[in-house]
Amino acid sequence: MGFGDTAKKIQTLADRAERTYQKINELRTEVEETQTTVLDTSERVQALENEMAEQRAVLDAVAAEVGVDLDAVSTEAHIVEAEAGSDGEDVEGGSDGTERDAGSDADEN
C-alpha cells in the first residue's frame, strides 16, 4: 500500500470525523432547545394548575353561597358524558337530544 492510499484513507476518516462532530453539535443544540422548551412548558403548566386551583376555590365559594352541590353537578356531568359515550351521542347533548346545562341546578335553588 502506497502513501497515496494511506493519505486518502486518512482524509476520508478525517472527513467522517468532521461530519460526525458537526452532527453531534447539532444534536447538542437540539437537546438544549428541547430542555429549555420542557422547562418553559413545566412552568406554564404549574402556573395553569395554580390558576385552576384558585378558580376552583372561587367556584366552591360561590356554589356554597348559592346552595349548589358541586359534587352532584359533577357526578351528573360524568354520568351524561358516560352515557353519551356509550350511546354514540354528542357529549353535550342529553338523552333527548337537547343540550344539558350544568348550571341549571343553580337556577332551581
Side-chain angles (χ1 to χ4, degrees):
M1 181 184 310
F3 286 119
D5 288 340
T6 302
K8 187 176 181 179
K9 287 183 179 183
I10 289 173
Q11 185 60 46
T12 302
L13 184 61
D15 291 344
R16 281 187 182 167
E18 181 65 27
R19 286 193 305 268
T20 301
Y21 181 75
Q22 288 174 350
K23 186 65 174 175
I24 288 172
N25 282 335
E26 289 172 10
L27 290 173
R28 181 179 293 125
T29 301
E30 287 180 27
V31 167
E32 289 171 355
E33 289 172 356
T34 301
Q35 287 174 334
T36 300
T37 300
V38 167
L39 290 174
D40 290 346
T41 302
S42 176
E43 290 172 1
R44 280 186 271 158
V45 166
Q46 186 61 46
L48 288 171
E49 287 176 346
N50 292 342
E51 186 176 336
M52 282 181 54
E54 291 170 5
Q55 290 177 0
R56 178 60 189 217
V58 169
L59 179 62
D60 287 343
V62 169
E65 184 71 26
V66 296
V68 173
D69 181 3
L70 287 179
D71 290 331
V73 172
S74 178
T75 300
E76 176 67 20
H78 288 296
I79 291 170
V80 168
E81 187 175 314
E83 289 173 348
S86 66
D87 294 342
E89 292 181 7
D90 187 335
V91 173
E92 304 215 356
S95 60
D96 60 356
T98 60
E99 288 201 5
R100 299 184 61 90
D101 181 9
S104 64
D105 291 338
D107 295 338
E108 294 173 5
N109 291 333

